[in-house]
Amino acid sequence: MSRLAIDVGGTFTDVVELNPETGALSFGKVPTTPDAPARGVMDAFGLAESGTPAITMFTHGTTLGLNALLTRTGARTAVIGTKGFRDVYLLGRTDRRTNYDITYRKPPALLERYDTFEVRERCRFDGSVHTPFDVDDARRVAEVVAERGYGSVAVAFLHSYANPEHELRMREVLAEVAPDVAVTLSHELSREYREYERTSTAVLDAYVKPIVHRYLRELEGELAGGGFSGRFLMTRSGGGAMTAQAAREQPVSLILSGPAGGVIGAAALSRLLDEPNLITIDMGGTSLDASLILDHEPVLYQGAEFEGLPINTPSLYIHTIGAGGGSIAWLDEADALQVGPQSAGAAPGPASYGRGGTAPTFTDAALVLGHLGSDSPLGGKLALDRELADKALQPIATRLGLTTEALARGIVQISTMKIMGAVRAITVELGRDPKDFALLSFGGGGGLVAVEVARELGISTVIVPPGQGAFSAFGMLLADVQHDFARTLVTPLATLDAAAADAVYREMEAAAVEQLASEGFGPDRRALTRTLDVRYQGQEHSVTVAFPDDPAAFATDVAAAFAELHERQYGHTMDDPVEVTTLRLRATGTVDKPELPTVAERTSGEPHPAGTRQVHLSADEPAVEYRVYTREDLLAGDVVAGPAVITEHTATSVIHAGDSLRVGRYGELVISVNDRTGRQQ
């Protein structure tokens, strides 16, 4: 019996298999199949050593919903609101975040005003009915939706977080008049105030729902046909997992499901290695995702954004940029070299893949420099073609009057600077010093740039986890099933009735227990965690604190916890009155966690290189000899001095002169980075 995790990326689909009895982990890669995503997943299943029928749990992360949003290829979507509030979604907020950028243009909208409708009904903020639901008016709107052929509808009525009855009745009307249309109700995603944020979340969910629903149905059919009968989970943006059935109904929770796996794994590795504070960079084929681990825990936000559109569900704090192995190098109108965000993706992929690609990419540049080599096939199967890479770089090199090696160096340097910018965005711009962190690098391309990124930012330690190329998939094996519940309750902390709050929590807990029980989690596998959002009166946004254990000291304990957290996040506290805005509950269904296996220690001798590789550093150092080591041959305690290249089944890592590498107990590579004077930082 075994457990499997599969992460579908822009270029490769990563797979990790765990044998629970022995603790053995195996890592693999297959090409992503954008034209038929389920086929790539089934190809990954084919790498499972135990066979599909023996897999007891399958955890999956996908960027299908995210890609539909990026490419604007989701379902044709309508939004239905309260009469008089038709334009809530398109108006949004009136804040402007790009005051000084004259080139700024709002991203294309997911729908037009033609696609917005209103129904006569209205509830007040306390849930009382101001205007009864008009069934005839609702039927009129549903008939228009059916006639125009919409694939999906988002229903977001005023104050439905307090009283969802009208949204439920609207679904009944749509089911009768337009039965083929997928329906999203805003209150089922978010029971919180802020009409625009809740409407935006519903629209995003509706936009991707038909695509995700169709994909999961197809995949479940393929799995059943292959003999799979285990538990099927999907990772979610908030760092946990959800059943495939729940994912079909709330696909907005999957938008960051792929990157979330790596952050989950990073938090687990942080505890295992006793490294409380980590900056993570996950460089895949299409993008790079940066995140933080603070005190062994990932940073969780109660809301995320996609291109400025709010998603009012809990999400891990992940900063994504278009800097991956397939990022394309190009010249702008001023003949300045740029890299990304366009990507060669999986089809055709970088020129060096030999699959018809002609555009120069980061991977081609790394091959021309010698960081990658034709002697180390990607995923154990795909041998890179240096001649094709050189040919792809030649047109731009000629136009700039450079050698292909000099151009390749520029491409890698630009990518490194972009990655540094992503790290600064989650550290320096938020008041944190990168020097206080270790850098955890993973993904197929992370090891190629991690040391240079760390050196530029003054970070002294880089950690490369085992199976770095498929580490996000490994993190998915650790994901517990999670459900988040919330109820808006704006009231001064001093007058909040703890008993009344407890009653609201108990209502949410009853729903949570019922949900977890239906998914097969018994009492010993359930955990319910209460938190609440608190702010100073007059503030726009809140911070989340733990619900105190002692009801008698409720207000005092909450105020103290809020002051400590506000000081930590914003650097100050105030004497203003404090108020509660939202009661939250996280329900967790715990799964068995795999233990990362240890590697054997070397008892005699030292590691021997498998060969050498010529690496281009500059015009003055066009061919510096780097020793090449095979990671699978390294043992715990081994030390490798730079310059060196460490190849493995799923990725490659590069260290330079003055850097040194030590192999840890679990096979992790701990790299001490030197500064430019040759001293370790």
Side-chain angles (χ1 to χ4, degrees):
M1 309 303 288
S2 69
R3 290 168 55 182
L4 203 70
I6 294 176
D7 176 24
V8 179
T11 304
F12 285 102
T13 293
D14 301 325
V15 55
V16 176
E17 183 178 10
L18 166 72
N19 184 323
E21 294 182 358
T22 65
L25 289 167
S26 60
F27 299 88
K29 282 180 178 289
V30 297
T32 294
T33 52
D35 57 327
R39 187 175 76 241
V41 174
M42 296 310 297
D43 290 343
F45 256 83
L47 299 181
E49 298 176 359
S50 58
T52 299
I55 296 171
T56 59
M57 182 180 292
F58 165 44
T59 308
H60 180 29
T62 178
T63 56
L64 187 68
L66 177 61
N67 291 340
L69 290 169
L70 289 169
T71 58
R72 296 298 193 269
T73 54
R76 187 183 177 201
T77 303
V79 59
I80 302 175
T82 300
K83 186 172 181 61
F85 294 85
R86 177 182 176 185
D87 296 312
V88 163
Y89 176 68
L90 292 178
L91 286 176
R93 295 295 176 190
T94 58
D95 59 332
R96 181 177 175 86
R97 305 181 186 181
T98 52
N99 292 328
Y100 306 108
D101 183 359
I102 62 173
T103 66
Y104 174 76
R105 297 293 183 273
K106 289 182 66 174
L110 299 181
L111 51 86
E112 304 295 334
R113 193 170 193 269
Y114 176 81
D115 306 312
T116 63
F117 303 89
E118 55 187 5
V119 169
R120 191 176 295 108
E121 68 79 38
R122 184 166 178 177
C123 290
R124 299 184 179 92
F125 76 95
D126 59 359
S128 61
V129 176
H130 178 273
T131 303
F133 180 77
D134 189 327
V135 176
D136 293 335
D137 198 33
R139 183 179 295 276
R140 174 189 61 79
V141 170
E143 289 173 350
V144 176
V145 167
E147 290 170 4
R148 293 186 184 176
Y150 288 101
S152 196
V153 173
V155 181
F157 288 152
L158 198 66
H159 300 306
S160 63
Y161 62 88
N163 182 355
E165 180 62 29
H166 291 180
E167 286 193 353
L168 293 169
R169 294 185 66 187
M170 188 68 223
R171 177 159 59 190
E172 293 173 357
V173 173
L174 286 166
E176 178 184 346
V177 179
D180 297 329
V181 177
V183 179
T184 291
L185 304 184
S186 71
H187 80 272
E188 292 182 339
L189 301 174
S190 173
R191 292 292 296 269
E192 300 179 48
Y193 72 144
R194 301 183 191 278
E195 302 305 323
Y196 168 59
E197 284 76 4
R198 186 162 46 81
T199 304
S200 172
T201 304
V203 170
L204 287 163
D205 184 84
Y207 190 74
V208 302
K209 180 173 282 186
I211 293 174
V212 174
H213 193 282
R214 189 162 51 246
Y215 166 69
L216 291 178
R217 281 291 189 192
E218 179 185 351
L219 183 55
E220 286 175 316
E222 294 275 357
L223 292 172
F228 175 74
S229 59
R231 175 174 281 169
F232 181 8
L233 301 178
M234 300 287 295
T235 52
R236 56 188 300 167
S237 304
M242 61 198 308
T243 64
Q245 180 180 357
R248 288 199 304 270
E249 299 307 317
Q250 297 185 3
V252 72
S253 298
L254 304 179
I255 288 177
L256 295 177
S257 74
V263 181
I264 297 168
L269 192 66
S270 164
R271 291 185 284 270
L272 203 61
L273 303 182
D274 195 25
E275 284 280 356
N277 300 317
L278 296 173
I279 297 168
T280 73
I281 56 171
D282 175 7
M283 186 177 184
T286 303
S287 60
L288 178 133
D289 305 301
S291 191
L292 291 180
I293 304 296
L294 297 176
D295 296 328
H296 303 297
E297 295 293 336
V299 177
L300 186 69
Y301 276 50
Q302 296 302 337
E305 284 190 355
F306 167 79
E307 293 186 345
L309 301 175
I311 306 173
N312 204 27
T313 58
S315 299
L316 295 175
Y317 182 49
I318 299 173
H319 184 73
T320 301
I321 62 171
S327 292
I328 294 173
W330 53 285
L331 297 178
D332 63 18
E333 295 176 353
D335 270 358
L337 181 63
Q338 306 288 343
V339 182
Q342 307 93 327
S343 173
S352 54
Y353 284 9
R355 295 175 177 167
T358 58
T361 67
F362 174 90
T363 295
D364 299 317
L367 178 61
V368 168
L369 288 179
H371 293 170
L372 295 173
S374 302
D375 55 340
S376 302
L378 297 180
K381 298 179 181 179
L382 179 60
L384 302 180
D385 190 317
R386 163 64 190 267
E387 184 176 341
L388 289 177
D390 199 81
K391 183 179 179 181
L393 267 63
Q394 190 63 59
I396 294 180
T398 300
R399 185 164 177 174
L400 296 179
L402 302 172
T403 64
T404 54
E405 289 82 5
L407 174 63
R409 188 69 189 163
I411 292 171
V412 171
Q413 287 176 332
I414 289 173
S415 295
T416 300
M417 295 300 292
K418 291 180 67 174
I419 297 167
M420 286 173 54
V423 173
R424 286 180 176 275
I426 63 173
T427 54
V428 176
E429 293 180 15
L430 298 179
R432 298 185 175 97
D433 189 342
K435 296 178 182 178
D436 297 333
F437 296 77
L439 181 66
L440 180 68
S441 166
F442 51 93
L448 298 172
V449 297
V451 167
E452 284 303 308
V453 169
R455 194 183 335 273
E456 293 293 335
L457 292 171
I459 299 172
S460 61
T461 303
V462 172
I463 301 172
V464 182
Q468 62 165 318
F471 187 72
S472 287
F474 167 73
M476 293 174 187
L477 292 174
L478 306 171
D480 291 321
V481 171
Q482 291 180 353
H483 297 283
D484 293 291
F485 300 82
R487 297 290 186 273
T488 290
L489 183 67
V490 181
T491 185
L493 176 61
T495 60
L496 177 65
D497 186 340
D502 182 69
V504 176
Y505 277 116
R506 290 185 181 279
E507 176 191 340
M508 291 191 288
E509 287 168 347
V513 167
E514 181 180 355
Q515 179 74 37
L516 291 175
S518 70
E519 296 170 347
F521 293 96
D524 60 328
R525 291 283 184 173
R526 302 173 196 153
L528 304 177
T529 306
R530 296 179 176 187
T531 58
L532 63 164
D533 289 358
V534 186
R535 68 184 181 187
Y536 291 114
Q537 285 186 358
Q539 281 188 323
E540 173 68 8
H541 296 290
S542 312
V543 297
T544 303
V545 302
F547 190 84
D549 296 326
D550 183 7
F554 176 83
T556 303
D557 290 349
V558 170
F562 169 67
E564 179 183 349
L565 190 58
H566 200 279
E567 173 75 29
R568 187 191 311 170
Q569 291 191 3
Y570 302 108
H572 72 282
T573 58
M574 299 189 295
D575 296 328
D576 294 27
V578 175
E579 66 181 0
V580 174
T581 62
T582 308
L583 307 182
R584 299 188 183 278
L585 177 76
R586 167 156 287 190
T588 304
T590 58
V591 301
D592 292 326
K593 304 295 189 299
E595 292 187 7
L596 200 61
T598 59
V599 298
E601 293 189 26
R602 189 175 299 280
T603 56
S604 62
E606 59 184 23
H608 294 287
T612 60
R613 185 177 294 170
Q614 302 301 311
V615 175
H616 177 90
L617 297 182
S618 66
D620 296 331
E621 297 179 287
V624 177
E625 186 175 273
Y626 277 53
R627 295 181 300 278
V628 178
Y629 293 85
T630 302
R631 185 170 185 178
E632 288 78 6
D633 294 337
L634 297 178
L635 302 178
D638 281 350
V639 176
V640 174
V645 175
I646 297 85
T647 65
E648 57 185 290
H649 183 61
T650 59
T652 297
S653 302
V654 179
I655 62 174
H656 305 285
D659 302 329
S660 65
L661 174 157
R662 177 180 55 81
V663 182
R665 179 186 179 191
Y666 300 97
E668 74 277 9
L669 308 181
V670 182
I671 302 169
S672 297
V673 181
N674 75 321
D675 62 18
R676 287 188 174 84
T677 66
R679 297 173 300 180
Q680 290 186 353
Q681 298 185 118

